[in-house]
Amino acid sequence: MKKQTIKFVLNENFIQTDVNPSLPLLDFIRKGKHLTGTKEVCKEGDCGACTVLLGELVDGKIKYKTITSCIYPVGNCQGKHVVTIEGINKHELLLQQQIFADENASQCGFCTPGFIMSFTFYLLNNTKYSHDEAINAIAGNICRCTGYHSIIRAVDKVIAELKDVNEQNHISYLIEKNVLPEMFLDIESRLKEIKLDQVEANEKSSIFIGGGSDLFIQRPDDLLERNVTFLDQKHLNYIVENNNRIELGGGTTFEEFKQSAILQKIIPTLERDIDLIASLPIRNSATIGGNLTNASPIGDLTIILLALNSTITLSDGISERELPLSEYYLDYKKLNKNPNEFIKAVWFDVPQNNFHFSFEKVSKRTYLDIASVNSSMLIEIDDNKIKKIFILAGGVAPVPKLLNETNQFLIGKEISLATIDSSLSFAQNEISPISDVRGTAEYKKFLLNQLIKAHFLKLFPELINEKEIV
C-alpha cells in the first residue's frame, strides 16, 4: 500500500505526514508520536483502553465523538482533531481526574485514560447531565480492578459539580470549571484552515474501509499491504426522506442511525434497540455499509433493514446498480457483489397505514454482545387482521433469514395466541441452526419461537394474554 499525505490536528499540534493510511491510529499515536497514555490492550475495540476523542467539522461546526483507536485507520483522521489523554492534561489534574483519584476510581490505572476520555466526551457533548446517560457514555470501557462502584461514584460527583451548565458558551464554561484545557477554543477555526488534497479513487482497490470496526479485527496486517479505498472521504453519512422514501448513505454510522429523528418515527424503540448492539465508541465508527457487507448471519442492523424491505445501491465508482437487500446474501459470507463494488446507499419505502415494528435479541450478555438469535418484525394490520408481515431471523441459517413461509401463513389471520402458535411450526421448518459457542441448535430453535411470541406480545398486549404464553 502506498503512503498518503494525511493532515489533521493531534492535540495542539498540526500533523502533516506521509503514512500508510491503513495504519491503526493507536499505532501512530503510541509508536509514531510516543503518546503512550493511550493504552493497547485487546486490539479489538472491546475494552476501551485506547479511547480517544475525534472532532470533525459538521456543517461548519466541530462535533466530537469517541472512537477506539486500535481499530480506527489513521486515513480516516484526514482534516479532523484527534485528542488523546495527553491532549486534555494540564499542569494540575482536571476536575474529573481529581474526583476519580479522590474516589479511588483508579487502581492499576491502565484503563483509566480510556474512562477519562469517554467521560470527558460526555461532558463536552452534553449540556444537561444525567446519571444514566453518563454511564452509557463509559459503557464501552472495561476495568478489572475497581468493581465499577468507585467509578460510578466519581461520575456522579462530577455531574453534581456541574449543575450550572452554560449552554450558550459550553466550551468556555468547561474550561472555567477545569474540565477542558484552553486549546479547545480555537480548534474549530484551525480545522477550517486545513487545505485537504483531493484524494483520487484507487481503481485497483477491492477493499473498502468504512469505520474499520470489523476489518481491523479480521485483517489488520493484510490491510497494511493492500490498496484500499476509504469511504469516509466520499461523505456517505447521511439520512434523508423524500417522497415517502428514506435513504441512508452507506457510510452512516450506527450512532447516527440510532439518533435519527427520521428513523425514530418508523421505529419508536430505536434508541433502546441500537443500545443493545455495541458500545458507543464502536457505534461512532461502525458503518451501515460495512455491517451489511460483513455478511454476518446474526448482524443486528441487517435484520432490521431486511424487515424494512430495503434496497441497496452498489457502486464501483463509475456505474451503479440496485439490488434488494434480501438478494445480497447468497450463502455464508458469500455476497451478490463484484469485488470492486461497495454499498453506496440503502433505501426503503416508508411503511404506510397501521404498521408496527419490533426488534428482539438474545445474547449471553444483554449489552455489548453478539446475539445467539435475533429477530425483527414489520407488520401491518387492519381490524386486528394481518395485512402484511415480514419476520426476519438471525443466527438460525447461513444467512439472515426471511421467514417466507411463516409470513405467508400469517397473512389474513387474526392476531391471537392460537395464530401465533400455529405459525411456529412453519418457522421451525424454515430454519437450519447449528450448534456453536452461542448455543445448541435446539436452543436456537427454542429462542426463535420465543422471539416471535415476544414480537406480538410487545406490539399487541391487548390481544395476547401474557400468562397463556409458554
Side-chain angles (χ1 to χ4, degrees):
M1 174 66 184
K2 66 179 181 180
K3 294 182 177 182
Q4 290 183 8
T5 300
I6 308 296
K7 302 176 185 178
F8 62 100
V9 177
L10 175 59
N11 297 327
E12 290 187 282
N13 302 312
F14 174 71
I15 302 293
Q16 179 171 331
T17 182
D18 292 331
V19 65
N20 187 325
S22 295
L23 182 73
L25 176 59
L26 177 63
D27 291 347
F28 181 84
I29 290 169
R30 288 180 58 85
K31 299 173 183 178
K33 294 302 177 182
H34 308 293
L35 299 172
T36 53
T38 304
K39 302 305 182 186
E40 178 179 327
V41 182
C42 70
K43 267 290 194 177
E44 292 186 353
D46 284 336
C47 71
C50 69
T51 302
V52 299
L53 298 183
L54 187 71
E56 61 182 312
L57 293 174
V58 179
D59 297 327
K61 297 293 183 181
I62 192 166
K63 184 176 182 180
Y64 285 92
K65 61 184 180 182
T66 47
I67 59 166
T68 46
S69 60
C70 68
I71 54 173
Y72 194 84
V74 70
N76 272 354
C77 296
Q78 190 79 271
K80 300 175 183 177
H81 183 209
V82 177
V83 188
T84 70
I85 188 70
E86 292 89 352
I88 65 169
N89 283 344
K90 300 168 69 173
H91 294 297
E92 73 279 8
L93 292 178
L94 297 172
L95 172 68
Q96 62 271 38
Q97 291 174 321
Q98 184 64 62
I99 292 179
F100 263 63
D102 293 343
E103 293 298 323
N104 296 310
S106 175
Q107 290 189 25
C108 82
F110 211 73
C111 70
T112 307
F115 272 98
I116 293 295
M117 296 308 293
S118 292
F119 188 38
T120 300
F121 153 79
Y122 173 72
L123 299 175
L124 175 60
N125 266 38
N126 295 274
T127 55
K128 295 181 180 179
Y129 302 133
S130 74
H131 169 88
D132 289 343
E133 290 180 354
I135 296 305
N136 183 53
I138 63 173
N141 297 82
I142 294 174
C143 176
R144 303 192 185 279
C145 298
T146 68
Y148 298 107
H149 289 291
S150 56
I151 294 173
I152 293 171
R153 286 199 310 271
V155 166
D156 286 340
K157 286 200 171 185
V158 173
I159 291 175
E161 290 280 338
L162 301 174
K163 287 295 186 183
D164 56 335
V165 176
N166 187 322
E167 297 186 20
Q168 297 300 317
N169 298 292
H170 187 48
I171 290 181
S172 296
Y173 167 81
L174 293 178
I175 292 172
E176 177 187 339
K177 289 291 187 178
N178 196 31
V179 172
L180 294 177
E182 289 78 5
M183 76 166 184
F184 279 83
L185 286 172
D186 65 348
I187 290 297
E188 185 176 295
S189 60
R190 292 183 63 186
L191 292 186
K192 291 177 180 178
E193 293 173 357
I194 297 178
K195 305 298 183 184
L196 297 179
D197 301 324
Q198 184 67 34
V199 179
E200 294 183 5
N202 192 334
E203 301 300 335
K204 297 180 180 180
S205 172
S206 61
I207 299 179
F208 300 91
I209 297 178
S213 56
D214 280 320
L215 282 175
F216 278 87
I217 296 173
Q218 300 170 4
R219 307 165 61 181
D221 296 331
D222 182 41
L223 294 177
L224 291 171
E225 303 295 328
R226 302 286 295 275
N227 292 312
V228 303
T229 296
F230 290 88
L231 298 182
D232 183 73
Q233 297 165 0
K234 296 181 179 294
H235 307 293
L236 298 178
N237 56 325
Y238 61 85
I239 301 174
V240 294
E241 180 178 2
N242 287 307
N243 298 322
N244 289 322
R245 173 178 290 185
I246 295 175
E247 181 174 317
L248 307 90
T252 302
T253 67
F254 278 45
E255 187 64 13
E256 290 167 336
F257 188 95
K258 169 190 168 181
Q259 298 293 344
S260 169
I262 292 174
L263 295 176
Q264 288 172 9
K265 292 187 297 183
I266 308 298
I267 310 174
T269 59
L270 183 64
E271 292 188 81
R272 167 210 168 267
D273 294 342
I274 303 301
D275 275 344
L276 295 173
I277 294 178
S279 67
L280 179 58
I282 297 296
R283 296 199 306 268
N284 279 332
S285 57
T287 64
I288 293 173
N291 186 254
L292 297 181
T293 300
N294 187 41
S296 170
I298 46 177
D300 296 307
L301 208 59
T302 307
I303 293 296
I304 292 173
L305 289 170
L306 276 168
L308 292 167
N309 301 310
S310 298
T311 297
I312 59 175
T313 302
L314 291 166
S315 172
D316 61 8
I318 301 173
S319 59
E320 298 179 0
R321 66 185 177 102
E322 291 191 340
L323 183 73
L325 182 57
S326 59
E327 297 178 13
Y328 192 47
Y329 303 102
L330 303 177
D331 202 342
Y332 180 71
K333 294 288 185 175
K334 292 184 179 180
L335 300 173
N336 186 357
K337 181 181 91 67
N338 297 322
N340 62 339
E341 289 181 318
F342 62 91
I343 294 180
K344 182 178 179 181
V346 182
W347 62 266
F348 58 88
D349 292 325
V350 177
Q352 301 297 311
N353 304 318
N354 191 9
F355 74 90
H356 306 267
F357 187 92
S358 172
F359 171 76
E360 295 288 343
K361 172 181 178 178
V362 175
S363 52
K364 292 184 177 180
R365 297 193 311 263
T366 301
Y367 297 99
L368 315 185
D369 201 2
I370 298 173
S372 296
V373 175
N374 54 14
S375 178
S376 59
M377 181 175 81
L378 178 69
I379 183 171
E380 181 184 333
I381 63 171
D382 183 14
D383 194 26
N384 292 340
K385 287 188 177 181
I386 300 171
K387 189 174 180 180
K388 294 180 182 178
I389 187 167
F390 301 92
I391 302 177
L392 274 295
V396 294
V399 298
K401 183 69 175 177
L402 175 63
L403 302 179
N404 283 309
E405 293 180 15
T406 308
N407 295 331
Q408 286 299 315
F409 168 79
L410 287 168
I411 292 174
K413 304 289 195 304
E414 287 193 358
I415 297 175
S416 67
L417 186 56
T419 297
I420 298 168
D421 286 340
S422 298
S423 73
L424 298 181
S425 60
F426 288 88
Q428 292 297 309
N429 289 332
E430 291 192 74
I431 63 176
S432 55
I434 61 172
S435 298
D436 57 23
V437 294
R438 297 184 184 89
T440 64
E442 291 73 20
Y443 174 62
K444 294 176 183 179
K445 289 181 178 180
F446 171 77
L447 284 183
L448 179 59
N449 281 353
Q450 299 306 97
L451 293 186
I452 292 174
K453 295 174 185 177
H455 288 315
F456 284 96
L457 182 60
K458 179 170 70 176
L459 296 178
F460 309 104
E462 73 282 2
L463 300 176
I464 307 296
N465 188 338
E466 181 178 2
K467 295 181 180 179
E468 295 180 1
I469 289 183
V470 294

